Amino acid sequence: MKYDDNNIFAKILRGEIPCKKIYEDDFVLSFYDISPQKKIHALVIPKGKYIDLDDFNSNASNEEIIGLMKGVTTVAKKLGISSIDGKGYRALANISDDGGQEVPHLHFHLFGGEKVGKMVS
Ligand code: AMP
């Protein structure tokens, strides 16, 4: 499958569609999910064009992979939900159709701000 340059997160990255930005650096952009499923629902996306986690882990540079992983924790800290601050959250990536992925640009959901339960429904 080829990366779709017209997916909504590609448009957000290009600044064509607004987002409620939480954090940005050379590797990631983070913003609030438009339809929050928990008290805090943030998204963290890589700046590179990767469809999903398997595409990313197969094709991204080590620098990009480290950048995304560190980005998740940086955002959690910024939101005050990291375990370092004595809190917690769920990081979740849906992968392809069977995984329930709707937007074909890799993203981690960060759910927190409350007990998120065993699974996200
Ligand atoms: P997924 O099902 O894992 O692909 O999740 C896609 C997520 O993107 C959903 O939680 C949507 O609510 C969210 N979403 C879709 N459009 C936007 C947008 N313009 N800004 C922020 N979040 C969005």
Side-chain angles (χ1 to χ4, degrees):
M1 191 177 148
K2 196 178 166 297
Y3 180 84
D4 172 13
D5 276 309
N6 284 319
N7 78 73
I8 196 120
F9 293 169
K11 290 179 180 174
I12 287 175
L13 279 168
R14 290 197 296 269
E16 294 167 10
I17 288 179
C19 69
K20 279 178 70 184
K21 192 194 287 188
I22 299 165
Y23 174 76
E24 180 173 16
D25 63 22
D26 287 348
F27 298 103
V28 301
L29 175 66
S30 175
F31 48 93
Y32 287 103
D33 196 290
I34 203 164
S35 175
Q37 303 298 309
K38 293 290 171 191
K39 208 164 179 182
I40 294 176
H41 185 172
L43 299 170
V44 184
I45 72 173
K47 287 202 165 167
K49 297 178 179 184
Y50 300 102
I51 299 168
D52 60 30
L53 191 61
D54 291 341
D55 178 25
F56 184 71
N57 286 335
S58 301
N59 298 307
S61 67
N62 289 349
E63 209 184 13
E64 288 175 296
I65 293 171
I66 291 167
L68 177 59
M69 288 295 101
K70 284 193 174 291
V72 167
T73 291
T74 301
V75 170
K77 282 183 186 167
K78 221 172 156 47
L79 292 170
I81 58 173
S82 89
S83 61
I84 291 155
D85 296 317
K87 299 283 175 45
Y89 61 100
R90 174 169 297 135
L92 178 151
N94 294 321
I95 298 163
S96 204
D97 274 358
D98 280 3
Q101 183 177 5
E102 287 171 6
V103 178
H105 181 110
L106 170 61
H107 49 283
F108 277 100
H109 297 259
L110 270 56
F111 301 101
E114 60 182 313
K115 295 266 186 212
V116 297
K118 283 196 181 300
M119 291 291 287
V120 174
S121 54

